[in-house]
Amino acid sequence: MEAPILPSVATAEVQPSSVAELMATHLAEKFPAASRAELAARFADEHIVTLPGFCPPPLLAAVRDEAVGIMARHGTYHDLTFEITDNTPRRMRTVGQPVIRDEGPLVHNFYFAPVLLDFVADVVGEPVHTCPYAGEHYVISRLDANGDTHGWHWDDYTYGIILVLEAPHYTEGGFVQAVPNTRWDKGNPDVYGALLSSQVRSYALEPGDAYVVKTNTTMHRVHPIRGEGRRTIVNMTLASTADLDRPMTHETNDALFGGVRDPRIGS
């Protein structure tokens, strides 16, 4: 486990060193054992579960300020399609892990808080681990223009937990859609086949909510933004024990978020 990053000043009155304790206290109160059992049952059925009020308000405000500032300084807009996911679109603004590692101590300490791993393990029903590939520890993305979307895709590692910092009303898009029990064949991806083979479920979220997804077998997307909506999230990747011994590639992450390459350093 990485050591906490401790800057010299507080961020919005929340010290990075206090993130783990704030989360542990909040999650114990917000999601007691009975609630976690219900979440686990729902996750077993749908392979995605929403977590209303996952982040306590003082920490949410601080993380949002931190992430918005990082996005303002370093956000890069992408308008791409990926053949590896059947030419689905990515229209979004992103910041990758190396920048956040240096300039986002709250996000960093949130990801490495032991309580996060314990909570997700309770929900998914097996141990989870921080991602062995640093480029997928955590990334920030924003959709803020008409038509912006994180199109249909799967992920390499088994689990993701996404913290919502800003979200439009569902009438402006930006809600999550998921198709469980599907398979990502990188050599012959078939998004339409996956849509036909299983039910599409949709989930609206608010700032401070989070959701856990079984990302390697659940095709998912963020519905395109309509109008002037804005959605900003921190996406955090977690590995199953089986993932630790599987060879992985990171094509879409590296294209969208830069992987472990630091964009502040010239090529």
Side-chain angles (χ1 to χ4, degrees):
M1 181 183 303
E2 291 199 13
I5 297 176
L6 307 178
S8 59
V9 297
T11 304
E13 300 182 353
V14 174
Q15 290 285 355
S17 58
S18 69
V19 169
E21 182 179 356
L22 283 170
M23 287 301 300
T25 300
H26 177 72
L27 293 180
E29 295 174 354
K30 183 75 174 178
F31 301 98
S35 174
R36 297 188 192 200
E38 293 176 1
L39 292 170
R42 195 181 315 153
F43 185 85
D45 179 51
E46 301 183 20
H47 290 185
I48 179 172
V49 68
T50 59
L51 306 168
F54 184 77
C55 189
L59 181 57
L60 171 63
V63 172
R64 182 176 58 230
D65 289 349
E66 179 178 89
V68 166
I70 291 171
M71 182 64 70
R73 294 189 298 273
H74 301 291
T76 300
Y77 189 76
H78 303 275
D79 185 353
L80 304 170
T81 59
F82 286 94
E83 184 177 356
I84 201 170
T85 57
D86 206 0
N87 294 304
T88 52
R90 310 291 190 276
R91 301 186 189 103
M92 56 201 301
R93 196 173 305 277
T94 70
V95 180
Q97 184 269 348
V99 171
I100 303 167
R101 170 68 175 76
D102 289 349
E103 301 187 24
L106 296 176
V107 170
H108 176 88
N109 287 0
F110 192 104
Y111 179 76
F112 283 100
V115 68
L116 182 69
L117 297 180
D118 293 342
F119 180 88
V120 175
D122 286 346
V123 170
V124 304
E126 67 169 321
V128 296
H129 312 270
T130 57
C131 185
Y133 179 60
E136 298 208 35
H137 283 167
Y138 39 68
V139 296
I140 301 170
S141 68
R142 172 178 289 167
L143 313 178
D144 62 2
N146 191 63
D148 276 3
T149 182
H150 195 162
W152 290 113
H153 65 286
W154 299 262
D155 297 319
D156 289 296
Y157 292 93
T158 301
Y159 299 113
I161 180 166
I162 295 84
L163 176 63
V164 178
L165 304 178
E166 300 178 306
H169 189 268
Y170 75 87
T171 56
E172 296 180 297
F175 53 88
V176 177
Q177 296 185 289
V179 185
N181 300 310
T182 54
R183 177 173 175 268
W184 185 13
D185 180 350
K186 291 186 177 184
N188 185 31
D190 185 5
V191 164
Y192 289 166
L195 290 170
L196 291 170
S197 69
S198 185
Q199 180 182 357
V200 179
R201 292 186 167 100
S202 300
Y203 307 84
L205 296 110
E206 298 182 356
D209 295 351
Y211 55 101
V212 176
V213 191
K214 191 173 188 291
T215 52
N216 65 337
T217 59
T218 303
M219 191 176 75
H220 52 288
R221 77 164 181 170
V222 181
H223 194 280
I225 294 291
R226 181 170 68 177
E228 298 181 356
R230 184 162 110 168
R231 179 185 192 267
T232 304
I233 60 97
V234 179
N235 186 96
M236 294 166 279
T237 297
L238 298 173
S240 66
T241 300
D243 288 339
L244 302 180
D245 295 322
R246 290 197 294 122
M248 296 285 189
T249 57
H250 315 94
E251 300 93 334
T252 58
N253 174 274
D254 289 0
L256 281 172
F257 301 102
V260 295
R261 181 184 62 82
D262 191 333
R264 298 165 299 178
I265 300 173
S267 58

